[in-house]
Amino acid sequence: MAKLTESMTNVLEGDSMDQDVESPVAIHQPKLPKQARDDLPRHISRDRTKRKIQRYVRKDGKCNVHHGNVRETYRYLTDIFTTLVDLKWRFNLLIFVMVYTVTWLFFGMIWWLIAYIRGDMDHIEDPSWTPCVTNLNGFVSAFLFSIETETTIGYGYRVITDKCPEGIILLLIQSVLGSIVNAFMVGCMFVKISQPKKRAETLVFSTHAVISMRDGKLCLMFRVGDLRNSHIVEASIRAKLIKSKQTSEGEFIPLNQTDINVGYYTGDDRLFLVSPLIISHEINQQSPFWEISKAQLPKEELEIVVILEGMVEATGMTCQARSSYITSEILWGYRFTPVLTLEDGFYEVDYNSFHETYETSTPSLSAKELAELASRAELPLSWSVSSKLNQHAELETEEEEKNPEEQTERNGDVANLESESKV
């Protein structure tokens, strides 16, 4: 019985240990069926169950954020113009057609009611009767007259008479409202057509960012380019580090945004984007990558968002292009392949090599560790000088202490010689 209990406890302990070992795997893949998890090899399952970084900004520049539980939806109606511009094209065209159709039908109904109330429908064939609108004999003709009035077509077949004051007032109201509707809808369509969002499609970012040495300093770099011949005026670049953090008080801040200096103080962030440029961020003590090494980089859950802004030369409207890099897209120890070559009388950009990189010798230590090694390399020199100076001072003092004894000995020897000579 005792053996049975011991065997049971051993089995239970073994199961608990197995559960403890495999518990992280079970936690990180709740969507996989148990059979699928068991069938997967252990190394593949662990690789797939690693932390998957959710992008804050996708590679095409669209923000991966959805607004939910917005109760104050009336705020969208207070800025109806922007709401219509932000709608998709199919909804925008549907609203465009519906607005005009509804206004034509509405005023056509009023024109028909006026003619019906005045009795124009009963005196269609009476030449002595003066109707409100000539040749208006039903709702269809009233609808056509409403379209002619609002669009100012004026075919000349249906005309309002001076014996209908209510028709004159309605004509003025429809003309004013029609002008407002035209200005609003045509303006909305014009702004939507001229939006510079499509201009950002020709502003390209490198698929990877690289970390390598530049002028003896560890730098994070990425490349930007413009495919069009019409340039971006007053182009500027900035970068943000998206990483969750916890404060010293224990507050957790998800997706905290930290500025990455790409030349703000030196003016290097203002670009003359005629040919592709490599944007460099020096990893120093103010950099968020100061303590990140090559081995630590894949373990970090971070995202670098880069934003390129400027004015479109053709329209003068502000354009913004965005992209992002996660840790798997940051290559340590690589540089970008040059794309600019000098031809006969001009420079040529080879965009086939725009995303290409090549490996270069780069230390795998962090910038902080490199700085500490550099400081340690300088310290022994100062230590040796100071130690030599101290040793030299000690030797001088020792020699000074020995000199009086030697002088006394020499004086004693001289005295003995004099006494011997006298004897």
Side-chain angles (χ1 to χ4, degrees):
M1 188 68 183
K3 293 182 178 179
L4 180 61
T5 55
E6 288 178 0
S7 62
M8 290 295 292
T9 54
N10 292 331
V11 170
L12 291 175
E13 289 178 357
D15 293 341
S16 62
M17 292 177 64
D18 293 339
Q19 290 177 0
D20 292 338
V21 172
E22 296 184 356
S23 59
V25 177
I27 290 173
H28 286 292
Q29 34 171 251
K31 295 183 179 180
L32 287 175
K34 185 177 183 302
Q35 183 178 0
R37 292 199 302 269
D38 294 337
D39 293 338
L40 284 174
R42 188 172 297 275
H43 66 280
I44 297 177
S45 62
R46 286 181 179 177
D47 292 338
R48 292 188 178 180
T49 54
K50 287 182 179 179
R51 297 179 303 273
K52 182 180 179 181
I53 299 177
Q54 184 66 45
R55 286 187 179 275
Y56 189 65
V57 176
R58 292 186 291 185
K59 295 294 287 184
D60 58 358
K62 295 181 180 179
C63 297
N64 194 20
V65 177
H66 299 275
H67 300 282
N69 298 325
V70 180
R71 298 181 179 180
E72 298 177 351
T73 54
Y74 66 89
R75 295 182 181 272
Y76 294 103
L77 298 178
T78 57
D79 188 13
I80 186 65
F81 186 82
T82 306
T83 302
L84 291 176
V85 172
D86 291 339
L87 288 176
K88 295 182 179 180
W89 269 108
R90 54 180 176 268
F91 298 114
N92 207 314
L93 292 174
L94 178 63
I95 292 174
F96 185 85
V97 174
M98 291 298 296
V99 167
Y100 278 106
T101 304
V102 168
T103 54
W104 295 337
L105 288 173
F106 175 74
F107 283 103
M109 178 64 70
I110 296 178
W111 284 114
W112 179 80
L113 286 175
I114 290 175
Y116 181 79
I117 293 172
R118 292 183 77 256
D120 294 342
M121 301 298 175
D122 300 331
H123 301 82
I124 295 175
E125 301 297 336
D126 189 358
S128 61
W129 181 263
T130 305
C132 183
V133 179
T134 58
N135 300 317
L136 195 150
N137 52 11
F139 177 76
V140 176
S141 58
F143 175 69
L144 294 176
F145 180 72
S146 175
I147 295 175
E148 295 174 11
T149 302
E150 189 167 337
T151 57
T152 64
I153 294 176
Y155 289 116
Y157 184 69
R158 299 177 184 86
V159 181
I160 188 172
T161 61
D162 56 355
K163 302 298 183 181
C164 183
E166 61 272 20
I168 296 174
I169 296 174
L170 181 61
L171 178 64
L172 295 175
I173 294 173
Q174 186 175 4
S175 299
V176 173
L177 290 179
S179 300
I180 294 174
V181 170
N182 288 333
F184 187 83
M185 298 307 299
V186 173
C188 179
M189 295 296 293
F190 175 77
V191 171
K192 191 169 182 64
I193 292 172
S194 60
Q195 271 186 323
K197 290 183 179 180
K198 296 301 180 182
R199 179 63 178 89
E201 298 293 333
T202 54
L203 297 174
V204 292
F205 297 87
S206 58
T207 56
H208 293 88
V210 298
I211 295 178
S212 61
M213 301 298 293
R214 173 177 277 192
D215 294 331
K217 298 176 182 178
L218 201 62
C219 296
L220 169 72
M221 293 170 283
F222 58 92
R223 185 149 59 185
V224 296
D226 188 4
L227 301 179
R228 287 187 178 273
N229 292 326
S230 59
H231 309 306
I232 296 293
V233 182
E234 296 184 2
S236 62
I237 189 76
R238 53 195 175 98
K240 291 279 189 180
L241 176 67
I242 309 297
K243 183 181 179 181
S244 301
K245 64 173 290 188
Q246 189 171 7
T247 62
S248 57
E249 294 80 10
E251 179 187 4
F252 179 73
I253 304 177
L255 302 178
N256 182 57
Q257 299 184 11
T258 306
D259 282 332
I260 299 177
N261 186 14
V262 289
Y264 177 78
Y265 299 105
T266 59
D268 293 336
D269 62 331
R270 293 182 286 274
L271 310 178
F272 182 53
L273 197 60
V274 178
S275 61
L277 299 176
I278 296 177
I279 311 301
S280 176
H281 162 66
E282 179 183 343
I283 302 178
N284 49 26
Q285 293 182 356
Q286 289 75 32
S287 173
F289 302 95
W290 174 245
E291 299 181 355
I292 297 179
S293 62
K294 181 179 180 181
Q296 183 66 24
L297 181 61
K299 302 176 184 178
E300 294 289 333
E301 294 184 359
L302 56 86
E303 181 179 358
I304 302 172
V305 178
V306 292
I307 305 169
L308 176 62
E309 293 179 328
M311 290 191 302
V312 181
E313 188 178 25
T315 61
M317 301 183 70
T318 303
C319 173
Q320 185 182 91
R322 297 180 293 266
S323 186
S324 68
Y325 303 97
I326 57 178
T327 53
S328 61
E329 297 170 348
I330 302 175
L331 305 179
W332 191 290
Y334 284 81
R335 290 177 184 169
F336 287 106
T337 304
V339 295
L340 193 63
T341 57
L342 178 60
E343 301 294 336
D344 187 11
F346 62 92
Y347 293 96
E348 184 177 1
V349 178
D350 182 15
Y351 277 99
N352 290 328
S353 305
F354 181 82
H355 302 285
E356 293 182 359
T357 58
Y358 65 94
E359 192 171 2
T360 182
S361 59
T362 303
S364 59
L365 301 177
S366 65
K368 181 180 180 181
E369 294 172 344
L370 290 176
E372 291 176 352
L373 287 177
S375 62
R376 290 176 183 174
E378 295 175 357
L379 284 176
L381 178 62
S382 60
W383 286 351
S384 62
V385 172
S386 61
S387 61
K388 287 181 180 179
L389 291 175
N390 293 331
Q391 291 176 1
H392 184 67
E394 290 176 359
L395 290 173
E396 288 180 351
T397 54
E398 289 176 0
E399 289 176 359
E400 289 176 358
E401 291 175 357
K402 292 179 180 179
N403 287 334
E405 296 178 357
E406 292 177 357
Q407 288 179 0
T408 55
E409 291 178 357
R410 291 175 182 175
N411 292 332
D413 294 336
V414 170
N416 292 331
L417 290 172
E418 290 178 354
S419 61
E420 289 177 359
S421 63
K422 288 180 181 179
V423 174

